[in-house]
């Protein structure tokens, strides 16, 4: 189908506005062309004429599903599933899977196939773990939404844990420039939707944070979710990668689906370069397929990502495939530097909160700890506390922390960022055609 065909259908509808089959064909064509919002509007008009038309209701449910309007789609699917119509059961199964209820989804899918085996969907069967030859076996055991494989082995269908972080930006020391970028891209679209709507901007999108390890990228992502009272899903390498061909792509898709079903939701990928390494460096096609899947999920072509806030962190941005930096994917790339003097003082203050203190001069200590990451500063506080505990065990009397204690502890802890900057400097000087690493050069005072 193309635009000309769609135009012809519209002209036919103009001459025959009471032709129900023509309305159905028109809406199906729009759905097939990916015009989900247009299909929704047209189907609503048709349903006003034929409110009990099953095909139109299924079409509206499908348009909601494709746009990520899961709550609206589920209301329709649940009502239609009661009739036992196989296509309605399939749609209900898809929505249940997206909502994380894999076991009930598998049962609805099997019910549909019992009545109409031709509706079998290879992708849905794989994601639910339902063997097509087991679809008619009423005694097949379902575990966590998957049919137990022969030999007793079960593929896990467990959903990712969704956190509700209680921390916010007030719990993150320094990084004001980074926080402001996140506010502009992620927080303000949710807290001031009317302003962003006026400019045609939706809530969602991606931010890639890079910098030396231990500088608070993960903590900042969790605090972002806390700021907007959103769910938080932390995705590690082991949550995605799988030894079986095609399973890694399915794992990634299911993670995105869970986030879409739980919006607003912050989806955080740590060490994203391990999942999105440059395809030119790969010898095997499996890695390329995973990257293609990742890019497709970010684009939100098939499913809407509105309300899904995607953050990623990497210590090695030079290993990330350049396609991830295209506008619409990770279109904000933020350098997260080691904390400055003020931030170091604030981080020390945060890590000593609630502990016995003898009015330490955090500002003075912060100035002395140049190059220390947030993780390094936490280690300094931990070492200082351990020394105090040793003294308390000898004297039987706990003593408060002083400025001298913090500085003595710092002598035993080396800053961990120097090695990273040695590597980053080479990329910033000799492989910086697009200006990606200009912030690194400015931090090193080389620009």
């Amino acid at each position: 189908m193309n635009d000309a065909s769609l135009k012809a259908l519209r002209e036919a509808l103009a001459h025959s506005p009471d032709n129900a089959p023509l309305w159905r064909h028109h809406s199906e064509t729009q759905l097939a062309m990916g015009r989900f919002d247009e299909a929704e509007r047209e189907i609503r008009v048709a349903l006003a004429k034929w409110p009990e038309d099953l095909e139109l209701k299924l079409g509206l449910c499908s348009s909601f599903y494709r746009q990520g309007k899961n709550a609206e789609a589920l209301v329709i699917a649940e009502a239609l599933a009661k009739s036992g119509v196989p296509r309605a059961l399939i749609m209900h199964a898809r929505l249940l899977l997206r909502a994380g209820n894999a076991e009930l989804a598998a049962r609805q899918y099997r019910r549909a196939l019992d009545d109409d085996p031709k509706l079998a969907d290879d992708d849905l069967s794989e994601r639910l773990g339902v063997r097509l030859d087991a679809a008619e076996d009423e005694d097949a055991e379902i575990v966590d939404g998957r049919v137990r494989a022969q030999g007793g082995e079960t593929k896990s269908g467990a959903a990712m844990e969704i956190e509700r972080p209680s921390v916010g930006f007030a719990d993150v020391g320094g990084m004001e420039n980074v926080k402001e970028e996140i506010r502009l891209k992620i927080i303000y679209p949710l807290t001031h939707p009317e302003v962003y709507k006026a400019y045609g901007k939706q809530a969602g999108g991606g931010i890639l944070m890079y910098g030396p390890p231990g500088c608070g990228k993960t903590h900042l992502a969790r605090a972002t979710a806390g700021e907007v009272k959103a769910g938080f899903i932390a995705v590690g390498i082991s949550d995605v990668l799988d030894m079986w061909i095609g399973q890694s792509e399915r794992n990634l898709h299911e993670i995105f689906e869970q986030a879409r079903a739980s919006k607003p939701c912050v989806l955080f990928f740590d060490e994203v370069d391990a999942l999105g390494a440059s395809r030119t460096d790969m010898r095997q096609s499996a890695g390329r397929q995973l990257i293609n899947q990742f890019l497709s999920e970010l684009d939100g072509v098939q499913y809407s990502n509105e309300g899904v806030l995607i953050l990623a962190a990497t210590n090695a941005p030079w290993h990330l495939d350049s396609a991830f930096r295209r506008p619409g994917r990770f279109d904000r790339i933020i350098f997260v530097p080691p904390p400055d003097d003020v931030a170091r003082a604030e981080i020390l203050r945060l890590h000593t909160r609630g502990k016995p203190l003898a009015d330490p001069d955090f500002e003075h200590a912060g100035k002395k700890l140049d190059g220390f990451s947030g993780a390094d500063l936490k280690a300094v506080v931990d070492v200082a506390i351990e020394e105090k505990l040793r003294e308390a065990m000898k004297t039987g009397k706990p003593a408060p922390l002083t400025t001298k204690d913090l500085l003595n502890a710092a002598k035993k802890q080396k800053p961990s960022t120097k090695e990273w900057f040695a590597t980053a400097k080479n990329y910033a000087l000799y492989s910086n055609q697009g200006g990606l690493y200009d912030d690194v050069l400015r931090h090193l005072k080389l620009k």
Side-chain angles (χ1 to χ4, degrees):
M1 280 289 179
N2 52 33
D3 289 340
S5 301
L6 194 60
K7 184 179 178 181
L9 279 172
R10 285 174 178 158
E11 290 174 353
L13 275 176
H15 289 93
S16 184
D18 294 324
N19 187 328
L22 193 58
W23 276 98
R24 294 191 206 104
H25 183 47
H26 182 227
S27 63
E28 288 167 1
T29 302
Q30 287 178 316
L31 289 171
M33 294 177 67
R35 301 187 175 190
F36 309 127
D37 55 342
E38 293 179 24
E40 177 189 340
R41 289 195 296 271
E42 297 290 340
I43 294 171
R44 286 182 183 277
V45 173
L47 279 171
K49 297 174 178 285
W50 303 283
E52 299 304 319
D53 191 298
L54 176 65
E55 294 297 322
L56 289 173
K57 287 181 179 179
L58 279 170
L60 183 60
C61 187
S62 180
S63 73
F64 284 150
Y65 175 82
R66 295 292 187 175
Q67 294 177 79
K69 297 179 178 180
N70 302 310
E72 295 92 330
L74 199 54
V75 169
I76 299 174
E78 285 177 346
L80 294 178
K82 292 176 182 177
S83 66
V85 175
R87 286 178 58 204
L89 291 171
I90 294 283
M91 180 57 71
H92 194 210
R94 292 184 186 281
L95 285 158
L96 288 168
L97 178 60
R98 181 179 284 185
N101 192 344
E103 184 169 347
L104 182 55
R107 295 191 184 281
Q108 293 291 68
Y109 182 56
R110 291 176 67 238
R111 279 183 62 198
L113 297 190
D114 286 344
D115 290 339
D116 191 352
K118 294 179 182 178
L119 291 176
D121 182 297
D122 290 342
D123 180 62
L124 188 57
S125 297
E126 282 289 333
R127 289 165 60 195
L128 287 172
V130 175
R131 298 194 315 274
L132 298 183
D133 60 347
E136 298 179 1
D137 181 6
E138 290 298 330
D139 297 323
E141 183 181 1
I142 296 177
V143 180
D144 287 331
R146 295 183 176 268
V147 174
R148 189 181 291 279
Q150 292 181 353
E153 181 183 354
T154 303
K155 270 299 246 183
S156 172
M160 297 287 293
E161 179 185 357
I162 300 180
E163 300 177 38
R164 295 288 171 180
S166 58
V167 297
F169 281 177
D171 301 293
V172 179
M175 295 199 284
E176 295 306 322
N177 290 338
V178 181
K179 290 177 187 175
E180 186 55 34
E181 285 281 353
I182 292 176
R183 288 189 186 101
L184 189 65
K185 178 70 176 177
I186 287 179
I187 295 176
Y188 293 153
L190 289 174
T191 57
H192 300 82
E194 67 287 347
V195 177
Y196 277 71
K197 187 176 181 180
Y199 288 96
K201 295 286 286 183
Q202 293 183 334
I207 289 180
L208 174 66
M209 299 179 287
Y210 78 95
C215 289
K217 295 184 285 293
T218 302
H219 185 48
L220 186 61
R222 188 171 273 105
T224 299
E227 281 286 301
V228 292
K229 303 293 186 288
F232 180 75
I233 300 177
V235 184
I237 303 169
S238 60
D239 297 316
V240 177
L241 297 184
D242 193 284
M243 64 181 291
W244 301 107
I245 293 175
Q247 186 60 43
S248 297
E249 293 92 304
R250 284 189 286 273
N251 291 343
L252 185 64
H253 176 70
E254 288 174 7
I255 289 168
F256 268 90
E257 287 289 86
Q258 188 178 2
R260 291 172 185 130
S262 308
K263 59 187 183 182
C265 183
V266 174
L267 192 54
F268 175 63
F269 292 89
D270 200 6
E271 299 181 23
V272 70
D273 52 289
L275 300 175
S278 177
R279 283 169 288 187
T280 57
D281 298 335
M282 293 183 178
R283 295 182 180 179
Q284 297 181 344
S285 62
R288 296 191 186 97
Q289 291 299 328
L290 178 58
I291 292 171
N292 292 338
Q293 180 70 36
F294 204 161
L295 295 172
S296 175
E297 298 292 347
L298 288 173
D299 287 340
V301 174
Q302 271 192 296
Y303 312 97
S304 172
N305 283 337
E306 184 176 2
V308 178
L309 319 170
I310 305 165
L311 292 174
T314 177
N315 301 327
W318 37 84
H319 291 157
L320 192 67
D321 194 288
S322 59
F324 283 95
R325 300 196 292 269
R326 198 203 75 182
R329 293 168 181 169
F330 290 119
D331 49 7
R332 288 284 192 283
I333 301 175
I334 303 174
F335 173 53
V336 181
D340 57 17
D341 293 355
V342 175
R344 288 195 295 272
E346 184 60 28
I347 291 169
L348 289 171
R349 189 174 284 109
L350 286 170
H351 285 308
T352 55
R353 184 189 293 169
K355 299 173 176 62
L357 302 175
D359 195 23
D361 188 343
F362 293 115
E363 283 68 25
H364 175 70
K367 290 177 182 177
K368 292 288 186 179
L369 301 180
D370 185 35
F372 280 67
S373 69
D376 295 336
L377 294 168
K378 184 179 185 302
V380 167
V381 173
D382 289 343
V383 169
I385 289 172
E386 287 171 6
E387 289 299 321
K388 284 298 182 183
L389 287 171
R390 286 192 184 94
E391 292 177 15
M393 292 300 102
K394 292 176 182 177
T395 63
K397 184 179 178 181
L401 283 170
T402 66
T403 307
K404 185 177 179 181
D405 293 327
L406 293 172
L407 294 177
N408 286 338
K411 294 175 183 177
K412 301 176 184 179
Q413 181 72 30
K414 301 294 183 184
S416 62
T417 62
K418 291 183 179 179
E419 183 178 348
W420 185 88
F421 275 109
T423 302
K425 179 180 177 181
N426 290 330
Y427 282 96
L429 287 173
Y430 308 115
S431 184
N432 191 30
Q433 292 84 355
L436 175 63
Y437 307 121
D438 284 353
D439 287 336
V440 174
L441 293 176
R442 280 189 282 269
H443 181 82
L444 294 172
K445 297 181 172 58
L446 296 174
K447 185 172 182 177

